[in-house]
Amino acid sequence: MHPDPRACLRRSISLGVLGLGTLLLAACAGQTSQQTTGDAAPPNFLPGEVVTQQGRLSADLYPIIFVIAVAVFLLVEGLIIYIAFRYRRRPTDRDLPTQTHGNNMLEIAWTIIPAVIVTGLFVLAMSVLFQIEARAADPDVEVDVTGFQWQWTFDYPEEDLSFTGAGVDGPEMVLPVGETVRIRLQAQDVIHSFYVPQFFFKRDVVPGRVNEFEVLVERPGTFGGQCAEFCGLAHSDMFFTVRAVPRAEYDTWVAAEQERANATPPPPASGPPPPSGGPPPSGGAPPAGTVVETATTPDAPLAFTQTALQVTAGASVTANYLNDSNLPHNIAFFQGPDPSAPRIAATEVMPGPGNQQSISFTAPSEPGSYYFHCDVHAQQMIGTFEVTP
Amino acid sequence: MATTAIPRRVAYPTARSRVYEWLTTTDHKKIGILYMTTAFTFFLLGGVMALLVRTELAVPGLQFVPQELYNQLFSMHAVTMIFLFVMPMFVGMGNYIVPIQVGAADMAFPRINALSYWMIPLGGASIMAAFAFGGSPIGWTMYAPLSATEPARGVDLLLMGLVLLGTSSILGAINFLATIFKLRAPGMTLMRMPMFVWVTLVTSVLLLFALPVLTSGLIMLFIDRNYGGGFFDPALGGNPILWQHVFWFFGHPEVYILILPAFGIVSEILPVFSRKPLFGYRAFVLATASIGALGFTVWAHHMFTTGAVYLPFFSFFTFLIAVPTGIKFFNWLATMWGGQLRFDTPMLYAVGFISLFLIGGLDGAFLAVVPFDFMVQDTYWVVSHIHYVLVAGSVFAIFAGIFYWFPKFFGALLNERLGKLQFWLLFIGTNVAFFPQHLLGLDGMIRRIADYAPNAGWTELNFLSTIGAFLIAASIVVFLWNLFITMRGPREAGDDPWDANTLEWATTSPPPPYNFEVLPPVRSERPLFDLKHGAVTAHGVARPAARGETHGEMREDAPEERLGEPVEGHEDQQGEPRGPAAEVSAEAPDATPVAGRGEPDVAQAQTEDRAKPTKPEEHS
């Protein structure tokens, strides 16, 4: 049956209102965010607060593009709605409508006008880009950022400081307010991305390449950052923070950190018990229960001290792992030469220092070379355990 | 004129096993249906993956899937939807419709056509098998070095599957180009082809140039993974950025491959349901060609944040590509303007497409602004953009095409009430699912994360987005029900249920094995319209335009067609004067003369024509 046009219209309007209402609900839920991380305001149609000079210039472009986009949106949607109602087929329509094939003047108009608009936007965007990409002759602070799976290291070459993050919070980069900071980005393994939303900026961290950018933070505060390029298993957890403080406080902080770095005694020679590697080399019938040990020390926080372990086929093994570093680690054993094999056993990922883990499992019955690694740092922390007959 | 309907029991003989017929067919119509059915199955699989992703993201905390599986799911969702759903679906529709629209009996290379199809389930099986081997948790973009070092064997299965699919696409592209260039009906010049054929032509050129680049990249990645290669490994002198260049040089034309057929479908539907010709046919052709060409110049706009590309060039061309797209928009609106619009389901989807693809397109304009891209690259802003252009764009157009051509494929119209219900569910669901993601991206929520902080303020919008995803799922359930009841019902759609313009509606539903008994004359881009409304006779005679009428698209340089009078200087090869062959009328006994030489009363013939019912009573 032919649908009643009035009912159709009523239905369309009510559904349209429902749809629009949903959008407005989402928008009204937002307010301009004035807070720093930790207690964020709901998202909004407009960007939140931007705290760097470069970011502010970038964010100031947004309202211009937004207004143009909304204008185009209202124009086109308005035309669609008008056309849908005005030119609906009516029962009185018998003859064909005028079969207009085209109009060259219109074609020229709606080619030229959009071309002018986008060219204008392009010029505007480029002028801002050149400003934010500008490099100072002599930056006040330099920080070298290294990204790796799944943590960050911040090095201050001039102040001789280095911070590597541990756990989900990641490291903290302290910067002086109102001064030019040059940040250099390098990657150890895969592509990451250094993203601070309140800087309105990100730059990729690419192996084999050094990326550089400069920021000038305009107000004190703590700003959250996150890796923004998918980099594997724990990509969601690769956070860091940037804390901007007045210059005086920055100097105090630098001094305190330098003192702390010097005061830390080097690990004593008789420190943690040296890890052993399985049954005694003198051979003979191996004991029924075998103990293997490995560790990670603060000097080499991304390595196992023992990467070659030995067990007997079919024996019940106890693996002891000491994580003495700041980074989250675990140890995971596999039933094959690489991690695509099924997993035999694994400990829980925990940061150190002083974190002793133990896990028991039955060694594979088939002699050969098997694989273990740290789940968090599966590229850097790998080893083999030999299964002897 | 009419083509004698061939009963289904004759067109699909039961003497041979149906299964064997379908497994060995080289008929473009059956291959088209195979493509579309396979593609839709993968759509359902990809949709389930999306629901799993969205369910996990609805609230903070990893409740549902562990990180490892989540990373596999979002990667595979994209691969499935792009390579196993949208591409084969459009190829399937093109396979069925393009040869008929150009008046050919089949594609140029039917057996290669079959081969191209069978590579799809094979490639798809390889890709899906990845889940049993650790999945492929590297994103559909497969950035090196992550993709080169990811130990899961599933990645290699993905690479091999994609190489197979790419080969299928390349073969299909060659087939379409040969068909379009060489097998058109007499009278169908390039500028009289239906717009769907035009977009298929340009899309095939894009496939031909882009897919080999992807295949090369995949092989390089395979070598890096398995044979100690160092294309993308800086330790061996390679460069990870090289992968991105190779991938996106394919990847950007790829997104035009995913949307140009959608533009074509919309351009088919709007004229029929507005009862007006497509406004600015020539402009459309030029705009399509421009989009195709410009599509190869913008690839590095996906790489603005790498610090490794020349930003002004790529930003400028990205802005520029908005212009031909805008031209299409305005021409569509002008097509509807002054028309007599009929909002059957295909038209609802076509208009829905225009209204929502606009949002996706405007998102892209934002992204062309490099400083803004620095903020929202790799955030949910991009996810929102992607899904507006692919769901509100390609998926809407796919459903428009399905509802439009379903009666041609199967002889039955899909249920209108269910179609309208599905449309509104999908329209609302799409907006509820993806509009909030703009705000999330602008607020700094990055993409490809299994979880987010509870105090980030993103919970409400993520929950809303998940509701939208389930609304979309509900709309698909409605569609499946519609499919089920329609296929069980009677097949009474007839040749031309929509009162349409192009050649596929001038034959039976479904068409006989070689598509046409007699080919209608083609003197414009709307051959069936001309036949029905008196601009041509069954004998190919053109009637000059009466006062107040426009026959703008009809060629003036074929004077021998006027009223069938022989014209000096236009004799045929035997030296005989051209004119309607007397024997034509004898061979088409059921051809209905509309108007022609010796028929004085054109207006009367037109009235008679309109009085004939050309479509059945509307289904409710």
Side-chain angles (χ1 to χ4, degrees):
Chain A
M1 300 310 314
H2 202 79
D4 170 29
R6 279 202 306 281
C8 226
L9 183 62
R10 257 184 271 126
R11 219 180 323 133
S12 314
I13 289 180
S14 53
L15 282 169
V17 166
L18 186 71
L20 211 62
T22 312
L23 298 182
L24 286 172
L25 199 73
C28 292
Q31 322 141 14
T32 312
S33 165
Q34 292 292 340
Q35 294 104 328
T36 59
T37 61
D39 40 342
N44 197 351
F45 277 101
L46 298 171
E49 189 205 4
V50 180
V51 301
T52 62
Q53 182 188 68
Q54 293 84 355
R56 197 175 27 83
L57 290 169
S58 306
D60 284 346
L61 279 172
Y62 182 84
I64 303 171
I65 323 165
F66 186 70
V67 163
I68 296 176
V70 167
V72 171
F73 178 80
L74 291 175
L75 170 71
V76 176
E77 302 290 358
L79 278 171
I80 291 173
I81 295 173
Y82 174 74
I83 289 169
F85 288 110
R86 167 72 181 81
Y87 295 110
R88 255 184 130 70
R89 184 172 304 186
R90 296 174 180 80
T92 48
D93 288 328
R94 286 268 167 251
D95 296 339
L96 288 173
T98 310
Q99 303 286 291
T100 321
H101 289 275
N103 182 314
N104 284 337
M105 286 314 334
L106 274 178
E107 298 291 348
I108 292 173
W110 60 49
T111 306
I112 303 271
I113 294 173
V116 167
I117 294 175
V118 298
T119 307
L121 276 176
F122 168 71
V123 169
L124 195 59
M126 282 298 115
S127 76
V128 170
L129 180 66
F130 292 140
Q131 287 177 69
I132 70 177
E133 295 277 288
R135 295 294 155 77
D138 183 24
D140 301 299
V141 178
E142 287 183 13
V143 184
D144 288 342
V145 173
T146 305
F148 57 93
Q149 284 173 319
W150 289 278
Q151 205 42 271
W152 302 92
T153 295
F154 297 148
D155 292 306
Y156 291 72
E158 278 168 25
E159 292 84 347
D160 196 29
L161 293 172
S162 181
F163 308 95
T164 300
V168 170
D169 290 322
E172 184 180 69
M173 182 192 295
V174 182
L175 302 174
V177 171
E179 301 192 25
T180 303
V181 179
R182 181 174 297 173
I183 296 178
R184 253 189 303 270
L185 303 169
Q186 291 173 86
Q188 263 185 7
D189 38 35
V190 299
I191 300 181
H192 301 273
S193 188
F194 185 90
Y195 179 40
V196 182
Q198 283 174 286
F199 286 10
F200 214 80
F201 185 84
K202 70 172 64 66
R203 185 57 52 96
D204 289 351
V205 183
V206 182
R209 184 184 177 79
V210 180
N211 274 337
E212 256 184 28
F213 66 95
E214 287 180 3
V215 286
L216 187 146
V217 184
E218 290 180 323
R219 73 156 177 85
T222 307
F223 316 111
Q226 195 173 8
C227 169
E229 184 60 60
F230 181 67
C231 55
L233 185 64
H235 168 64
S236 330
D237 299 330
M238 202 168 150
F239 296 98
F240 60 91
T241 45
V242 180
R243 184 157 61 94
V245 295
R247 180 26 104 156
E249 198 180 321
Y250 174 77
D251 290 331
T252 315
W253 172 81
V254 169
E257 288 299 324
Q258 284 171 332
E259 207 182 299
R260 187 199 317 205
N262 292 334
T264 309
S270 59
S276 57
S282 54
T290 309
V291 176
V292 294
E293 281 178 8
T294 185
T296 299
T297 62
D299 308 305
L302 275 180
F304 288 120
T305 49
Q306 266 309 71
T307 54
L309 305 176
Q310 222 178 8
V311 300
T312 314
S316 80
V317 179
T318 305
N320 292 327
Y321 172 59
L322 172 67
N323 180 5
D324 217 19
S325 76
N326 282 328
L327 296 182
H329 293 308
N330 75 337
I331 188 162
F333 295 90
F334 291 84
Q335 188 114 1
D338 60 49
S340 66
R343 185 181 286 247
I344 304 175
T347 60
E348 210 188 310
V349 174
M350 293 277 281
N355 178 250
Q356 177 76 48
Q357 302 178 333
S358 237
I359 194 157
S360 296
F361 62 91
T362 309
S365 45
E366 199 73 37
S369 203
Y370 293 79
Y371 174 88
F372 69 86
H373 75 192
C374 162
D375 278 333
V376 188
H377 305 99
Q379 314 294 340
Q380 294 97 337
M381 291 174 67
I382 58 180
T384 50
F385 64 105
E386 280 293 317
V387 175
T388 55
Chain B
M1 66 140 281
T3 304
T4 308
I6 294 181
R8 281 181 78 229
R9 58 178 160 73
V10 175
Y12 293 87
T14 54
R16 250 178 153 171
S17 147
R18 280 254 188 118
V19 171
Y20 182 71
E21 172 65 32
W22 282 89
L23 285 176
T24 58
T25 185
T26 58
D27 174 12
H28 72 103
K29 296 185 286 297
K30 290 211 183 66
I31 291 176
I33 291 182
L34 285 171
Y35 261 110
M36 290 187 272
T37 314
T38 307
F40 201 82
T41 309
F42 281 113
F43 175 56
L44 298 176
L45 286 175
V48 167
M49 293 178 218
L51 288 178
L52 290 171
V53 165
R54 276 302 343 152
T55 305
E56 181 52 61
L57 287 175
V59 291
L62 285 171
Q63 309 89 347
F64 207 58
V65 294
Q67 260 175 343
E68 217 173 321
L69 181 59
Y70 182 90
N71 295 343
Q72 295 175 30
L73 281 172
F74 77 71
S75 304
M76 199 59 90
H77 161 74
V79 169
T80 306
M81 290 306 202
I82 290 169
F83 292 105
L84 292 170
F85 165 53
V86 177
M87 287 175 82
M89 179 59 83
F90 281 140
V91 168
M93 280 186 186
N95 235 303
Y96 201 116
I97 295 296
V98 165
I100 309 180
Q101 277 190 339
V102 299
D106 205 313
M107 294 278 276
F109 304 114
R111 275 174 293 187
I112 292 189
N113 203 17
L115 176 68
S116 301
Y117 164 69
W118 285 105
M119 285 174 162
I120 305 287
L122 202 61
S126 178
I127 292 172
M128 290 293 133
F131 274 120
F133 294 90
S136 179
I138 54 176
W140 86 280
T141 48
M142 304 175 274
Y143 277 15
L146 181 68
S147 54
T149 55
E150 169 59 48
R153 282 273 155 261
V155 174
D156 299 293
L157 284 168
L158 171 71
L159 298 179
M160 294 193 295
L162 287 177
V163 168
L164 208 55
L165 293 177
T167 310
S168 163
S169 296
I170 294 169
L171 291 173
I174 297 172
N175 220 339
F176 275 115
L177 288 170
T179 307
I180 294 171
F181 281 122
K182 286 303 189 182
L183 297 186
R184 277 171 286 128
M188 185 176 285
T189 61
L190 284 175
M191 294 306 274
R192 289 178 184 172
M193 297 195 304
M195 197 48 64
F196 185 64
V197 179
W198 261 114
V199 301
T200 304
L201 194 164
V202 176
T203 305
S204 299
V205 174
L206 295 183
L207 282 164
L208 206 56
F209 282 101
L211 262 304
V213 177
L214 173 70
T215 309
S216 315
L218 296 173
I219 292 174
M220 287 196 278
L221 188 57
F222 197 89
I223 291 173
D224 265 22
R225 285 178 58 78
N226 297 296
Y227 300 116
F231 290 105
F232 311 118
D233 183 356
L236 295 173
N239 189 347
I241 304 286
L242 175 64
W243 167 264
Q244 295 188 36
H245 280 297
V246 172
F247 181 81
W248 286 118
F249 191 81
F250 147 79
H252 200 82
E254 167 67 9
V255 310
Y256 293 112
I257 290 165
L258 298 173
I259 202 64
L260 284 178
F263 290 167
I265 293 174
V266 169
S267 306
E268 289 289 319
I269 288 174
L270 287 183
V272 171
F273 290 83
S274 311
R275 295 188 99 198
K276 283 179 67 212
L278 188 65
F279 193 95
Y281 179 96
R282 234 167 248 277
F284 255 101
V285 172
L286 283 172
T288 307
S290 310
I291 291 175
L294 284 173
F296 277 100
T297 64
V298 300
W299 79 91
H301 69 214
H302 302 269
M303 299 164 61
F304 280 159
T305 56
T306 59
V309 300
Y310 185 56
L311 301 167
F313 175 89
F314 291 103
S315 173
F316 178 70
F317 279 96
T318 307
F319 272 119
L320 206 59
I321 210 162
V323 175
T325 314
I327 292 174
K328 290 190 173 226
F329 262 85
F330 295 122
N331 276 295
W332 284 326
L333 293 179
T335 303
M336 295 193 285
W337 186 278
Q340 293 164 3
L341 308 184
R342 200 173 19 127
F343 282 103
D344 299 283
T345 306
M347 183 64 162
L348 276 178
Y349 273 112
V351 177
F353 169 97
I354 297 175
S355 69
L356 296 184
F357 181 78
L358 176 68
I359 298 178
L362 290 172
D363 286 344
F366 277 90
L367 288 165
V369 176
V370 177
F372 182 73
D373 185 81
F374 287 165
M375 171 64 185
V376 295
Q377 159 68 349
D378 271 320
T379 67
Y380 264 82
W381 181 280
V382 177
V383 178
S384 179
H385 165 67
I386 293 171
H387 287 90
Y388 264 97
V389 295
L390 281 176
V391 178
S394 303
V395 173
F396 270 52
I398 285 170
F399 279 116
I402 290 177
F403 276 85
Y404 182 55
W405 280 313
F406 199 88
K408 182 54 55 181
F409 300 155
F410 297 111
L413 286 153
L414 283 164
N415 182 286
E416 257 307 297
R417 266 226 205 101
L418 288 176
K420 289 192 161 88
L421 171 65
Q422 181 206 345
F423 169 76
W424 286 110
L425 274 174
L426 190 59
F427 185 89
I428 293 172
T430 300
N431 282 299
V432 171
F434 302 118
F435 198 86
Q437 293 179 354
H438 288 112
L439 281 68
L440 286 170
L442 201 55
D443 203 55
M445 180 174 176
I446 59 171
R447 62 187 291 203
R448 297 174 166 174
I449 47 174
D451 195 19
Y452 50 90
N455 62 354
W458 298 334
T459 309
E460 289 79 17
L461 290 182
N462 268 289
F463 195 77
L464 191 62
S465 179
T466 302
I467 292 177
F470 278 94
L471 283 175
I472 295 175
S475 80
I476 304 304
V477 171
V478 171
F479 175 74
L480 289 171
W481 178 244
N482 197 347
L483 205 56
F484 178 66
I485 63 171
T486 305
M487 291 302 275
R488 291 179 59 191
R491 311 290 177 102
E492 293 167 349
D495 294 3
D496 182 20
W498 304 118
D499 190 17
N501 304 329
T502 42
L503 282 179
E504 73 268 32
W505 307 103
T507 182
T508 56
S509 300
Y514 290 97
N515 298 335
F516 296 96
E517 278 193 356
V518 178
L519 209 52
V522 178
R523 296 293 177 265
S524 79
E525 94 250 17
R526 299 191 293 173
L528 185 59
F529 179 92
D530 294 338
L531 205 54
K532 288 186 286 188
H533 298 278
V536 294
T537 69
H539 317 298
V541 172
R543 186 180 55 79
R547 182 181 299 224
E549 274 186 10
T550 49
H551 280 172
E553 71 271 36
M554 298 190 47
R555 291 271 295 262
E556 295 298 326
D557 58 354
E560 71 274 12
E561 295 170 3
R562 289 184 171 281
L563 293 177
E565 298 289 349
V567 176
E568 267 202 31
H570 285 265
E571 289 80 7
D572 63 20
Q573 282 176 333
Q574 279 73 44
E576 292 298 308
R578 294 181 195 271
E583 60 269 22
V584 170
S585 29
E587 277 177 24
D590 49 356
T592 315
V594 178
R597 191 162 56 150
E599 300 273 331
D601 195 343
V602 168
Q604 208 249 326
Q606 263 189 314
T607 317
E608 275 173 346
D609 189 49
R610 266 198 288 278
K612 279 204 309 280
T614 49
K615 71 181 185 91
E617 288 300 310
E618 211 179 301
H619 288 209
S620 57

